[in-house]
Amino acid sequence: MKVTIVGTGYVGLVTGACLAEMGNHVLCLDLDAEKIRTLESGSLPIHEPGLLEVVRRNVAGGRLQFTTDGERAVAHGTLQFIAVGTPPDEDGSADLQYVLAAARNIGQLMTDYKVVIDKSTVPVGTGDKVGAVIAEQLATRGVDVDFTVVSNPEFMKEGAAVEDFMKPDRVVLGGDNPEALETLKELYEPFLRTGNPILVMDSRSAEMSKYAANAMLATKISFINEIACLCEALRADVSEVRRAISLDRRIGPHFIFPGVGYGGSCFPKDIRAMISMAGDNRAMPLLTAVEQVNERQKGRLFDKVKNHFGDDLSRLTFAIWGLAFKPRTDDMRDAPSIVVIKALLDAGSRVQAFDPEAMEEARKIFGDRIQYTHRNYDALHGAAALLILTEWNEFRRPDFARIKSLLKQPVIFDGRNIFDPADLRKLGFTYYSIGRNDG
Ligand SMILES: NC(=O)c1ccc[n+]([C@@H]2O[C@H](COP(=O)([O-])OP(=O)(O)OC[C@H]3O[C@@H](n4cnc5c(N)ncnc54)[C@H](O)[C@@H]3O)[C@@H](O)[C@H]2O)c1
């Protein structure tokens, strides 16, 4: 099938590459000329495991192309996926300007039947707005061209996005046009060969499904972080508690790891967007609390640093391992590391940081206010303590003797609970983690 992807970011690029992998002819549009140049030169603008290989193979096979030319993009695909950003507006609501601009462009230029598929995470009712914008453009042009809008929220996880797209737990389609839904079922069928379902529903329920999924996941994280706080106060160990509750099949083992709070491009903005969607008359006390717990959690590691070193941190240097909001991505959007590092800088400390993939993104945020090191151990030179903010695998079994020899004092603040407190004590470290009463 001929497919156009509008917006070649994390979602758009993975979607385009994976659809091309199944033999479709895909054209990815982006307004960001630099991004398109990078892709055309054979590189990726983002880090996502396995993506480069899929992109290169399909570019070489002539099935995947990139453009900044809106006219060419509209002409190309009968299927027009919208995968542009929906960042938070000032009041927390999802800013729809990019989605509606993409729809407007399609309405202004289309000359034949189009299925417009909304893959961006959008407030309930946006499908109707997209349809109205396209209809308005067609009316202004005085032409009568048929189109339909389908909601198709994306559930991929950054860090495993290719894998998730290739083998989704489910595909959700929202719409009421049987032929369009049939076409999309055909498009997705090769990804569902293990029997996972395509769920067809009305557009509003499809839009809500995405927010409900993210809200549930964020709730699980804030839940375990709140339990971790209580564990610390009452001298219980959240790791043991987590093990005990995760074996209950009604609860399960996923997304109940305590840490420095959730971040990334989706959970924070989507929780805020949901609260805003509810409006003033329908408060959402649960999600409001989920957000509050998360904000508090992001400050807890810094509080532990102050408890250990005292209020004056101005003469100290801190080593940071991990900047990305989670492992296997370079995404720094709303990363908890931003809050922790800002707190350290505001306290007058120096920061030496290492991340396997996110240093370039971090540089866009911190510039030269922090030092970036080429290897993780280099960040430790002369530092008063090590803070672990992202659980990259390569941090899990380090050379502790080397860490000890490089730090001024053997102190580790572990925001991801990747080490065993008893082991670290035996090795002579002062070790602080989350909810394990080890301080
Ligand atoms: N990142 C994720 O893991 C993820 C997962 C599921 C859903 N989502 C949702 O998918 C959407 C996209 O997220 P993302 O992380 O891929 O965003 P992104 O910021 O990485 O990419 C968006 C891209 O769209 C481009 N763009 C904006 N307006 C455009 C236009 N009119 N025409 C062409 N290109 C345009 C931007 O230049 C940018 O490259 C959001 O709604 C997000 O909530 C994201």
Side-chain angles (χ1 to χ4, degrees):
M1 292 185 209
K2 289 183 89 175
V3 177
T4 291
I5 310 279
V6 186
T8 311
Y10 281 84
V11 169
L13 182 57
V14 172
T15 302
C18 292
L19 289 176
E21 180 77 358
M22 293 300 177
N24 297 292
H25 187 191
V26 180
L27 180 61
C28 290
L29 169 74
D30 207 288
L31 298 179
D32 183 341
E34 183 60 39
K35 209 172 251 191
I36 296 300
R37 254 196 307 278
T38 303
L39 285 160
E40 281 178 333
S41 72
S43 303
L44 290 188
I46 55 169
H47 172 79
E48 190 58 49
L51 183 58
L52 184 60
E53 188 193 334
V54 184
V55 168
R56 283 193 177 156
R57 185 167 45 243
N58 288 286
V59 168
R63 293 179 298 274
L64 181 60
Q65 290 177 304
F66 305 101
T67 187
T68 53
D69 179 347
E71 203 165 335
R72 183 178 157 212
V74 175
H76 175 81
T78 303
L79 305 182
Q80 299 268 323
F81 280 85
I82 298 180
V84 299
T86 45
D89 221 332
E90 273 162 27
D91 61 357
S93 63
D95 182 351
L96 283 178
Q97 63 165 310
Y98 305 102
V99 170
L100 298 180
R104 207 168 294 120
N105 187 56
I106 294 169
Q108 274 165 0
L109 298 167
M110 62 190 267
T111 52
D112 56 358
Y113 174 68
K114 301 289 176 197
V115 181
V116 179
I117 305 125
D118 192 0
K119 215 168 213 344
S120 299
T121 302
V122 288
V124 174
T126 300
D128 298 338
K129 285 189 186 163
V130 166
V133 164
I134 296 173
E136 191 184 294
Q137 293 305 318
L138 293 173
T140 307
R141 288 166 56 202
V143 295
D144 184 17
V145 189
D146 199 15
F147 73 95
T148 189
V149 179
V150 176
S151 164
N152 172 217
E154 180 51 57
F155 297 93
M156 67 175 62
K157 301 181 285 296
E158 280 180 29
V162 173
E163 209 178 308
D164 283 351
F165 197 94
M166 296 303 276
K167 289 181 191 159
D169 291 335
R170 76 310 207 181
V171 170
V172 172
L173 299 176
D176 54 12
N177 181 308
E179 287 104 78
L181 292 168
E182 213 38 60
T183 306
L184 286 171
K185 278 188 192 169
E186 231 176 90
L187 183 78
Y188 277 115
E189 203 270 331
F191 300 95
L192 295 159
R193 291 165 57 84
T194 50
N196 288 345
I198 296 185
L199 306 176
V200 176
M201 58 189 75
D202 64 279
S203 161
R204 285 171 178 258
S205 304
E207 290 165 340
M208 182 59 100
S209 299
K210 174 62 190 173
Y211 281 106
N214 278 357
M216 183 71 208
L217 295 172
T219 301
K220 287 182 89 173
I221 294 174
S222 279
F223 168 80
I224 200 68
N225 280 333
E226 189 154 286
I227 297 294
C229 280
L230 197 56
C231 283
E232 273 178 30
L234 303 179
R235 304 184 62 77
D237 182 337
V238 74
S239 300
E240 298 298 344
V241 175
R242 198 194 72 78
R243 271 191 333 137
I245 65 172
S246 67
L247 290 167
D248 184 328
R249 265 174 290 182
R250 293 168 302 175
I251 298 172
H254 305 293
F255 266 78
I256 49 169
F257 288 89
V260 281
Y262 61 74
S265 69
C266 293
F267 289 1
K269 85 168 168 63
D270 291 349
I271 299 299
R272 276 173 231 145
M274 269 188 110
I275 293 169
S276 148
M277 239 189 287
D280 292 339
N281 300 330
R282 282 180 237 100
M284 300 199 83
L286 178 60
L287 293 186
T288 305
V290 165
E291 201 188 10
Q292 278 167 1
V293 169
N294 195 55
E295 287 309 304
R296 187 180 65 178
Q297 197 67 18
K298 288 194 264 183
R300 285 184 54 75
L301 211 62
F302 179 68
D303 290 345
K304 286 171 192 265
V305 171
K306 274 204 307 195
N307 282 343
H308 181 90
F309 288 103
D311 280 343
D312 183 9
L313 303 175
S314 64
R315 277 180 295 276
L316 299 178
T317 297
F318 291 95
I320 305 280
W321 282 6
L323 295 164
F325 85 95
K326 67 167 171 176
R328 292 177 292 280
T329 179
D330 61 348
D331 201 341
M332 287 285 298
R333 289 179 283 186
D334 259 328
S337 66
I338 298 172
V339 175
V340 178
I341 291 173
K342 277 196 175 144
L344 290 170
L345 293 177
D346 287 348
S349 307
R350 286 185 71 241
V351 170
Q352 298 172 171
F354 171 81
D355 186 284
E357 296 294 343
M359 309 257 260
E360 227 173 281
E361 290 303 307
R363 210 181 283 276
K364 291 179 194 162
I365 296 165
F366 294 111
D368 53 14
R369 285 188 295 146
I370 68 173
Q371 268 199 305
Y372 309 89
T373 63
H374 288 299
R375 282 173 304 190
N376 54 342
Y377 292 103
D378 296 342
L380 304 169
H381 283 284
L386 164 65
L387 278 70
I388 297 171
L389 302 181
T390 316
E391 66 279 31
W392 286 93
N393 279 341
E394 64 190 77
F395 301 156
R396 286 182 187 275
R397 290 291 174 268
D399 179 345
F400 285 109
R402 196 164 166 201
I403 296 180
K404 222 169 157 185
S405 73
L406 291 169
L407 287 175
K408 278 192 169 162
Q409 296 167 33
V411 186
I412 296 179
F413 297 89
D414 178 358
R416 300 293 181 174
N417 287 4
I418 63 175
F419 303 136
D420 182 78
D423 291 350
L424 271 272
R425 255 193 310 273
K426 245 184 267 162
L427 289 165
F429 282 91
T430 302
Y431 177 64
Y432 300 92
S433 58
I434 306 289
R436 297 197 290 180
N437 197 39
D438 42 26

